[in-house]
Amino acid sequence: MKHFLSLQDIPDFDTAILEAIALKKDPLSDKKLGRDKTLGLLFFNASLRTRISTQKAAKNLGLEVIVMNFSQEGWQLEYEDGAVMNSGKAEHIKEAAGVLSGYCDLIGVRAFAELQSCEEDQKEKVLLGFAKHASVPIINLESALDHPLQGFADAITITEELGEQVLPSLKKEGTAPKVVLSWAPHPRALPHAVANSFIAAMKRLHIDFSITHPKGYELDPLITGNAPIEYDQDKALAGAAVVYVKNWSSFKDYGKVMCEDPSWTITSEKIGNAQCMHCLPVRRNVVIADAVLDSDKSLVLAQANNRTYAAQWVLKELLKTTP
Ligand code: CP
């Protein structure tokens, strides 16, 4: 693996999931792998889980970690080739990535979608700028379009919850369990990255996968592909084993909040016998009701815990190819 930019960088997903689950039992088994090496984590946006779980994963591997809140502490970066830098941007991505490559053996980057222009967000200028101009591996800590460490942790959680038969290489005869991605309301416009990565992960499992959201909230069709979409949430959730709850803003009317209909909030009645997942942070009683989050139907803490082992698996793979 040269970089970890998306789930496509994991060639054998089944094996990766099984190896990440195995890491949980013996997380310090590779404590020497990262000795005398440094991981830099650059945050252009806030974080709790990604920041702490990736640091923990790095420490499990013996890595030193340097964290920088880039948007508050770094120079404002220019990304355009040939730019005449006579305005507020003091440093070019070329120098920033080059300099950091001298200090760090691996670099993680978090830079969310700005949700102003679909075209601009699809350029992934921050993540791909670092991947282009750094000479060390780059790890996506959530970019404009993708949150692959979250998608990987979610696939680990679903495998633990539903059994190894959700892995295509270990599938058994019979009906595949139903997993539904449900949109839920939120007062602010949120990016599509978590939903995109969850879909990418679920497409690599042996499950009966579908998506439910109000009309107008269709995600990028290049990502949803042939995943079934059901606009009636109750119908979509019937018989589900796992419901993954997430808000996202409109893709078609890019970055807009089109609906805050509270009837889409996930309640105990809606969840039924299913398990409930959410990447966190979650707005209680807007996205998911207290009664669900405080019950044994909630997998949110298991998901968050699995972020460590998803990150540790990725760091371990990258370290294997780092001189
Ligand atoms: N789920 C997730 O990425 O959490 P943070 O934004 O807190 O890192």
Side-chain angles (χ1 to χ4, degrees):
M1 205 194 297
K2 188 176 172 213
H3 298 295
F4 181 68
L5 304 180
S6 79
L7 287 176
Q8 294 303 318
D9 291 314
I10 303 180
D12 182 345
F13 202 46
D14 288 16
T15 302
I17 289 169
L18 292 172
E19 288 179 355
I21 291 171
L23 281 175
K24 289 176 87 163
K25 296 194 183 86
D26 192 7
L28 302 179
S29 57
D30 298 298
K31 186 81 185 164
K32 291 184 181 158
L33 194 62
R35 194 170 61 189
D36 300 331
K37 293 205 165 76
T38 301
L39 169 68
L41 298 177
L42 311 179
F43 286 90
F44 291 78
N45 306 97
S47 172
L48 188 163
R49 281 142 289 271
T50 305
R51 179 168 171 159
I52 305 298
S53 65
T54 309
Q55 284 192 68
K56 173 137 173 91
K59 283 178 184 294
N60 286 348
L61 293 166
L63 281 158
E64 292 293 327
V65 187
I66 299 170
V67 183
M68 182 171 180
N69 292 316
F70 210 100
S71 49
Q72 288 135 44
E73 298 161 1
W75 300 107
Q76 219 187 326
L77 293 184
E78 174 62 63
Y79 296 90
E80 292 297 324
D81 267 348
V84 178
M85 292 173 56
N86 59 0
S87 64
K89 294 174 181 172
E91 179 148 40
H92 202 280
I93 181 73
K94 290 183 182 181
E95 279 77 45
V99 165
L100 285 162
S101 300
Y103 304 150
C104 303
D105 300 280
L106 306 158
I107 299 173
V109 179
R110 165 166 280 204
F112 289 173
E114 291 175 357
L115 295 178
Q116 299 301 311
S117 152
C118 181
E119 200 184 348
E120 282 305 307
D121 284 344
Q122 291 200 326
K123 286 182 189 164
E124 291 275 29
K125 67 178 182 195
V126 185
L127 181 75
L128 297 185
F130 275 98
K132 183 174 178 186
H133 297 295
S135 57
V136 299
I138 298 299
I139 301 152
N140 185 346
L141 304 177
E142 186 171 344
S143 65
L145 306 181
D146 233 337
H147 195 357
L149 286 173
Q150 183 68 54
F152 186 20
D154 294 336
I156 293 167
T157 310
I158 284 181
T159 304
E160 289 178 326
E161 182 61 29
L162 300 180
E164 290 178 359
Q165 62 268 24
V166 299
L167 303 177
S169 59
L170 297 176
K171 75 179 180 200
K172 292 184 182 152
E173 291 301 314
T175 322
K178 183 171 172 180
V179 176
V180 183
L181 169 61
S182 179
W183 181 93
H186 195 285
R188 293 186 54 207
L190 297 189
H192 308 109
V194 169
N196 288 347
S197 290
F198 185 69
I199 293 167
M202 293 308 102
K203 283 186 171 176
R204 295 176 77 173
L205 297 184
H206 175 61
I207 53 165
D208 169 13
F209 178 61
S210 58
I211 306 169
T212 183
H213 55 70
K215 282 189 179 158
Y217 273 97
E218 289 76 11
L219 289 156
D220 183 347
L222 292 174
I223 288 164
T224 52
N226 58 7
I229 296 169
E230 170 59 63
Y231 297 115
D232 180 332
Q233 190 191 36
D234 291 335
K235 207 167 149 189
L237 301 191
V242 170
V243 178
Y244 194 97
V245 189
K246 184 73 187 88
N247 172 271
W248 58 87
S249 56
S250 174
F251 177 75
K252 197 164 147 233
D253 202 351
Y254 193 72
K256 299 282 184 306
V257 175
M258 319 280 292
C259 163
E260 291 184 60
D261 181 355
S263 74
W264 280 78
T265 301
I266 296 294
T267 59
S268 298
E269 293 70 37
K270 282 183 187 284
I271 211 79
N273 292 322
Q275 296 296 120
C276 180
M277 295 178 71
H278 189 283
C279 64
L280 302 180
V282 63
R283 289 189 184 233
R284 282 174 169 255
N285 304 311
V286 176
V287 179
I288 304 174
D290 280 344
V292 178
L293 287 165
D294 296 333
S295 77
D296 59 5
K297 298 285 174 203
S298 174
L299 296 179
V300 298
L301 298 184
Q303 284 174 262
N305 189 45
N306 281 333
R307 291 292 307 274
T308 300
Y309 305 100
Q312 191 166 332
W313 186 89
V314 168
L315 292 171
K316 191 176 157 183
E317 289 303 302
L318 291 171
L319 280 170
K320 284 183 195 166
T321 54
T322 305

